[in-house]
Amino acid sequence: MRSGELGAGIDGEPEGSGAESLGGSEGAGVEEPGAGEKAEGPGLRAAIEAILMVVDEPVAEVTLAQVLERPTHEVVAELRALAAEYTAAGRGFELRDVAGGWRYYTRADCASVVERFVRDGQQTRLTQAALETLAVVAYRQPVSRARVAAIRGVNSDGVMRTLVARGLVEEAGTDPESQAVLYRTSSYFLERLGLKDLSELPELAPFLPDDVENLEETTK
């Protein structure tokens, strides 16, 4: 009986063939699409765009071809097609072939907008340390970084570099005795504060402590 049942289970159509056929069909249904998706992956154009979005220097055509495992001439054709498409669509960026490679750049006629965003946008996010340092430079200029640090009571080198990078502070020669670099506020600083010159800076006296003379001595 058991032997016969086992045989029927293997040879009989209702149980054996149907079950195996169903199981085989499910297996094929799961494996085939998966294998197909893996083999296809993103298209050449999408792959090129994805790589160019993360690079910080121009990428050579040969490098792209090697990474994407495609003929170089196909990659070059796609790069040129992308560049032409961006230009025709009037996008805010363009794809350029420079320095032996390809990279995205801001379109030239958008440069003023980007510059305004970088400079004005960053200035609105000045830290407390940056504001303090900027105030010291504004009221004590020309002043060295060591002098600023003495007044603030903390090293200000990093903050000073930030202010210089943002165009609010600039070098103003060197101290004749210590040879230290001196700093002053820039014309851009006056422009952003709406001042004609430094004489229009608010009076500092109302904000100083009563023992300002002793404080001054300690910072020298």
Side-chain angles (χ1 to χ4, degrees), residues 119-155:
R119 299 186 71 175
D120 296 359
Q122 288 186 348
Q123 184 177 333
T124 60
R125 295 190 294 272
L126 285 178
T127 63
Q128 183 64 32
L131 290 172
E132 290 176 3
T133 302
L134 186 57
V136 172
V137 175
Y139 284 95
R140 300 303 303 270
Q141 60 185 308
V143 62
S144 66
R145 286 184 294 180
R147 182 64 172 154
V148 173
I151 295 174
R152 293 190 61 230
V154 64
N155 186 293

Short mmCIF file of all heavy atoms in Angstrom, two decimals, residues 119-155:
data_model
loop_
_atom_site.label_atom_id
_atom_site.label_comp_id
_atom_site.label_asym_id
_atom_site.label_seq_id
_atom_site.Cartn_x
_atom_site.Cartn_y
_atom_site.Cartn_z
N ARG A 119 27.30 83.54 -1.50
CA ARG A 119 27.78 84.59 -0.60
C ARG A 119 26.71 85.06 0.37
O ARG A 119 26.91 85.07 1.58
CB ARG A 119 28.30 85.77 -1.43
CG ARG A 119 29.46 85.40 -2.34
CD ARG A 119 30.05 86.60 -3.04
NE ARG A 119 30.78 87.44 -2.10
CZ ARG A 119 31.47 88.52 -2.47
NH1 ARG A 119 31.51 88.88 -3.73
NH2 ARG A 119 32.11 89.25 -1.58
N ASP A 120 25.54 85.42 -0.13
CA ASP A 120 24.48 85.91 0.74
C ASP A 120 23.91 84.81 1.61
O ASP A 120 23.64 85.00 2.79
CB ASP A 120 23.34 86.54 -0.09
CG ASP A 120 23.81 87.76 -0.85
OD1 ASP A 120 24.99 88.13 -0.70
OD2 ASP A 120 23.01 88.36 -1.58
N GLY A 121 23.72 83.63 1.01
CA GLY A 121 23.16 82.52 1.76
C GLY A 121 24.05 82.11 2.91
O GLY A 121 23.58 81.83 4.01
N GLN A 122 25.36 82.10 2.69
CA GLN A 122 26.29 81.70 3.75
C GLN A 122 26.36 82.77 4.83
O GLN A 122 26.48 82.47 6.00
CB GLN A 122 27.68 81.46 3.17
CG GLN A 122 27.77 80.18 2.36
CD GLN A 122 29.19 79.89 1.91
OE1 GLN A 122 30.06 80.73 2.01
NE2 GLN A 122 29.42 78.70 1.40
N GLN A 123 26.30 84.02 4.43
CA GLN A 123 26.42 85.08 5.42
C GLN A 123 25.27 85.03 6.43
O GLN A 123 25.46 85.35 7.59
CB GLN A 123 26.44 86.45 4.73
CG GLN A 123 26.67 87.59 5.73
CD GLN A 123 26.78 88.92 5.05
OE1 GLN A 123 27.16 89.01 3.90
NE2 GLN A 123 26.45 89.98 5.74
N THR A 124 24.09 84.63 6.01
CA THR A 124 22.97 84.58 6.93
C THR A 124 23.15 83.49 7.97
O THR A 124 22.43 83.46 8.95
CB THR A 124 21.65 84.32 6.17
OG1 THR A 124 21.75 83.06 5.48
CG2 THR A 124 21.38 85.42 5.17
N ARG A 125 24.12 82.62 7.74
CA ARG A 125 24.35 81.54 8.67
C ARG A 125 25.66 81.69 9.43
O ARG A 125 26.27 80.71 9.85
CB ARG A 125 24.33 80.19 7.93
CG ARG A 125 22.98 79.85 7.33
CD ARG A 125 22.94 78.42 6.82
NE ARG A 125 23.84 78.22 5.69
CZ ARG A 125 23.49 78.41 4.43
NH1 ARG A 125 22.27 78.82 4.13
NH2 ARG A 125 24.34 78.20 3.46
N LEU A 126 26.13 82.90 9.61
CA LEU A 126 27.35 83.12 10.38
C LEU A 126 27.13 82.67 11.82
O LEU A 126 26.10 82.95 12.43
CB LEU A 126 27.73 84.61 10.37
CG LEU A 126 28.35 85.15 9.08
CD1 LEU A 126 28.61 86.64 9.21
CD2 LEU A 126 29.63 84.42 8.74
N THR A 127 28.12 81.97 12.35
CA THR A 127 28.02 81.50 13.73
C THR A 127 28.27 82.65 14.70
O THR A 127 28.74 83.73 14.31
CB THR A 127 29.06 80.41 13.98
OG1 THR A 127 30.39 80.96 13.82
CG2 THR A 127 28.88 79.25 13.00
N GLN A 128 27.99 82.39 15.96
CA GLN A 128 28.25 83.38 17.00
C GLN A 128 29.73 83.74 17.02
O GLN A 128 30.10 84.90 17.18
CB GLN A 128 27.81 82.85 18.36
CG GLN A 128 27.97 83.84 19.51
CD GLN A 128 27.08 85.06 19.35
OE1 GLN A 128 25.99 84.96 18.79
NE2 GLN A 128 27.53 86.20 19.84
N ALA A 129 30.59 82.74 16.88
CA ALA A 129 32.03 82.97 16.89
C ALA A 129 32.45 83.87 15.73
O ALA A 129 33.29 84.76 15.88
CB ALA A 129 32.77 81.63 16.82
N ALA A 130 31.84 83.64 14.56
CA ALA A 130 32.16 84.45 13.38
C ALA A 130 31.71 85.90 13.58
O ALA A 130 32.40 86.84 13.22
CB ALA A 130 31.51 83.85 12.14
N LEU A 131 30.53 86.08 14.17
CA LEU A 131 30.03 87.43 14.42
C LEU A 131 30.91 88.17 15.42
O LEU A 131 31.20 89.36 15.26
CB LEU A 131 28.59 87.35 14.93
CG LEU A 131 27.54 86.91 13.91
CD1 LEU A 131 26.19 86.68 14.60
CD2 LEU A 131 27.40 87.93 12.80
N GLU A 132 31.35 87.46 16.46
CA GLU A 132 32.24 88.08 17.45
C GLU A 132 33.55 88.50 16.81
O GLU A 132 34.04 89.61 17.03
CB GLU A 132 32.52 87.09 18.59
CG GLU A 132 31.32 86.81 19.48
CD GLU A 132 31.63 85.75 20.52
OE1 GLU A 132 32.81 85.30 20.57
OE2 GLU A 132 30.72 85.37 21.29
N THR A 133 34.12 87.60 16.02
CA THR A 133 35.40 87.89 15.36
C THR A 133 35.25 89.05 14.39
O THR A 133 36.12 89.94 14.32
CB THR A 133 35.89 86.64 14.61
OG1 THR A 133 36.03 85.57 15.54
CG2 THR A 133 37.23 86.90 13.94
N LEU A 134 34.17 89.07 13.64
CA LEU A 134 33.92 90.14 12.68
C LEU A 134 33.79 91.48 13.40
O LEU A 134 34.28 92.51 12.92
CB LEU A 134 32.66 89.84 11.89
CG LEU A 134 32.31 90.79 10.74
CD1 LEU A 134 33.45 90.86 9.73
CD2 LEU A 134 31.02 90.33 10.05
N ALA A 135 33.17 91.48 14.56
CA ALA A 135 33.01 92.71 15.34
C ALA A 135 34.37 93.22 15.83
O ALA A 135 34.65 94.43 15.79
CB ALA A 135 32.08 92.47 16.53
N VAL A 136 35.22 92.31 16.28
CA VAL A 136 36.55 92.70 16.75
C VAL A 136 37.34 93.32 15.62
O VAL A 136 37.98 94.37 15.78
CB VAL A 136 37.31 91.50 17.34
CG1 VAL A 136 38.75 91.87 17.65
CG2 VAL A 136 36.61 90.98 18.60
N VAL A 137 37.31 92.69 14.45
CA VAL A 137 38.03 93.21 13.29
C VAL A 137 37.49 94.58 12.90
O VAL A 137 38.23 95.52 12.61
CB VAL A 137 37.95 92.25 12.10
CG1 VAL A 137 38.60 92.86 10.86
CG2 VAL A 137 38.61 90.92 12.44
N ALA A 138 36.17 94.70 12.90
CA ALA A 138 35.54 95.96 12.48
C ALA A 138 35.94 97.13 13.37
O ALA A 138 36.20 98.23 12.88
CB ALA A 138 34.03 95.79 12.47
N TYR A 139 36.01 96.90 14.68
CA TYR A 139 36.28 98.01 15.60
C TYR A 139 37.75 98.18 15.96
O TYR A 139 38.13 99.23 16.51
CB TYR A 139 35.47 97.81 16.88
CG TYR A 139 34.00 98.15 16.71
CD1 TYR A 139 33.07 97.16 16.42
CD2 TYR A 139 33.55 99.46 16.82
CE1 TYR A 139 31.73 97.46 16.26
CE2 TYR A 139 32.22 99.78 16.66
CZ TYR A 139 31.31 98.78 16.36
OH TYR A 139 29.97 99.10 16.19
N ARG A 140 38.58 97.18 15.68
CA ARG A 140 39.99 97.29 16.04
C ARG A 140 40.92 97.21 14.84
O ARG A 140 42.13 97.11 15.01
CB ARG A 140 40.36 96.17 17.03
CG ARG A 140 39.57 96.20 18.33
CD ARG A 140 39.71 97.54 19.05
NE ARG A 140 41.10 97.84 19.33
CZ ARG A 140 41.73 97.48 20.44
NH1 ARG A 140 41.10 96.78 21.37
NH2 ARG A 140 43.00 97.81 20.64
N GLN A 141 40.41 97.26 13.64
CA GLN A 141 41.24 97.09 12.46
C GLN A 141 42.23 98.24 12.25
O GLN A 141 41.94 99.38 12.68
CB GLN A 141 40.35 96.93 11.22
CG GLN A 141 39.41 98.11 10.94
CD GLN A 141 38.48 97.81 9.80
OE1 GLN A 141 38.90 97.42 8.72
NE2 GLN A 141 37.18 97.97 10.03
N PRO A 142 43.40 97.92 11.61
CA PRO A 142 43.84 96.58 11.23
C PRO A 142 44.29 95.80 12.47
O PRO A 142 44.90 96.38 13.38
CB PRO A 142 44.99 96.85 10.28
CG PRO A 142 45.55 98.15 10.73
CD PRO A 142 44.38 98.95 11.22
N VAL A 143 44.00 94.53 12.49
CA VAL A 143 44.28 93.73 13.67
C VAL A 143 44.77 92.34 13.26
O VAL A 143 44.36 91.82 12.22
CB VAL A 143 43.00 93.62 14.54
CG1 VAL A 143 41.90 92.93 13.78
CG2 VAL A 143 43.27 92.93 15.85
N SER A 144 45.65 91.77 14.07
CA SER A 144 46.19 90.44 13.77
C SER A 144 45.29 89.36 14.36
O SER A 144 44.46 89.63 15.23
CB SER A 144 47.60 90.29 14.34
OG SER A 144 47.55 90.32 15.75
N ARG A 145 45.47 88.14 13.90
CA ARG A 145 44.69 87.02 14.43
C ARG A 145 45.00 86.79 15.91
O ARG A 145 44.12 86.44 16.69
CB ARG A 145 44.97 85.76 13.62
CG ARG A 145 44.32 85.76 12.25
CD ARG A 145 44.53 84.46 11.52
NE ARG A 145 45.95 84.24 11.21
CZ ARG A 145 46.43 83.19 10.56
NH1 ARG A 145 45.60 82.23 10.17
NH2 ARG A 145 47.70 83.06 10.30
N ALA A 146 46.27 87.01 16.28
CA ALA A 146 46.65 86.83 17.69
C ALA A 146 45.94 87.84 18.57
O ALA A 146 45.50 87.53 19.68
CB ALA A 146 48.17 86.97 17.84
N ARG A 147 45.81 89.05 18.07
CA ARG A 147 45.13 90.10 18.82
C ARG A 147 43.64 89.77 18.97
O ARG A 147 43.04 89.96 20.03
CB ARG A 147 45.31 91.43 18.10
CG ARG A 147 44.68 92.63 18.79
CD ARG A 147 45.35 92.89 20.11
NE ARG A 147 44.91 94.14 20.70
CZ ARG A 147 44.92 94.38 21.99
NH1 ARG A 147 45.34 93.44 22.83
NH2 ARG A 147 44.52 95.54 22.46
N VAL A 148 43.04 89.29 17.90
CA VAL A 148 41.63 88.91 17.95
C VAL A 148 41.43 87.79 18.96
O VAL A 148 40.48 87.80 19.75
CB VAL A 148 41.14 88.46 16.55
CG1 VAL A 148 39.72 87.90 16.64
CG2 VAL A 148 41.18 89.62 15.57
N ALA A 149 42.35 86.81 18.94
CA ALA A 149 42.25 85.68 19.87
C ALA A 149 42.39 86.16 21.31
O ALA A 149 41.71 85.66 22.22
CB ALA A 149 43.34 84.66 19.55
N ALA A 150 43.27 87.14 21.55
CA ALA A 150 43.46 87.66 22.90
C ALA A 150 42.20 88.36 23.40
O ALA A 150 41.82 88.23 24.57
CB ALA A 150 44.64 88.63 22.91
N ILE A 151 41.55 89.09 22.53
CA ILE A 151 40.33 89.81 22.91
C ILE A 151 39.17 88.84 23.16
O ILE A 151 38.43 88.98 24.13
CB ILE A 151 39.94 90.84 21.82
CG1 ILE A 151 41.01 91.93 21.74
CG2 ILE A 151 38.57 91.45 22.11
CD1 ILE A 151 40.81 92.91 20.60
N ARG A 152 39.06 87.84 22.30
CA ARG A 152 37.97 86.87 22.44
C ARG A 152 38.27 85.80 23.49
O ARG A 152 37.36 85.15 23.99
CB ARG A 152 37.69 86.18 21.10
CG ARG A 152 37.13 87.09 20.03
CD ARG A 152 36.66 86.28 18.82
NE ARG A 152 35.60 85.35 19.20
CZ ARG A 152 35.61 84.06 18.91
NH1 ARG A 152 36.63 83.51 18.28
NH2 ARG A 152 34.60 83.28 19.28
N GLY A 153 39.55 85.60 23.77
CA GLY A 153 39.90 84.57 24.74
C GLY A 153 39.89 83.17 24.16
O GLY A 153 39.85 82.19 24.91
N VAL A 154 39.92 83.06 22.84
CA VAL A 154 39.90 81.75 22.19
C VAL A 154 40.54 81.88 20.81
O VAL A 154 40.49 82.94 20.19
CB VAL A 154 38.45 81.22 22.06
CG1 VAL A 154 37.62 82.13 21.15
CG2 VAL A 154 38.44 79.79 21.54
N ASN A 155 41.17 80.80 20.35
CA ASN A 155 41.80 80.82 19.03
C ASN A 155 40.76 81.13 17.96
O ASN A 155 39.68 80.52 17.92
CB ASN A 155 42.45 79.45 18.75
CG ASN A 155 43.24 79.45 17.46
OD1 ASN A 155 42.70 79.58 16.38
ND2 ASN A 155 44.55 79.31 17.59
#
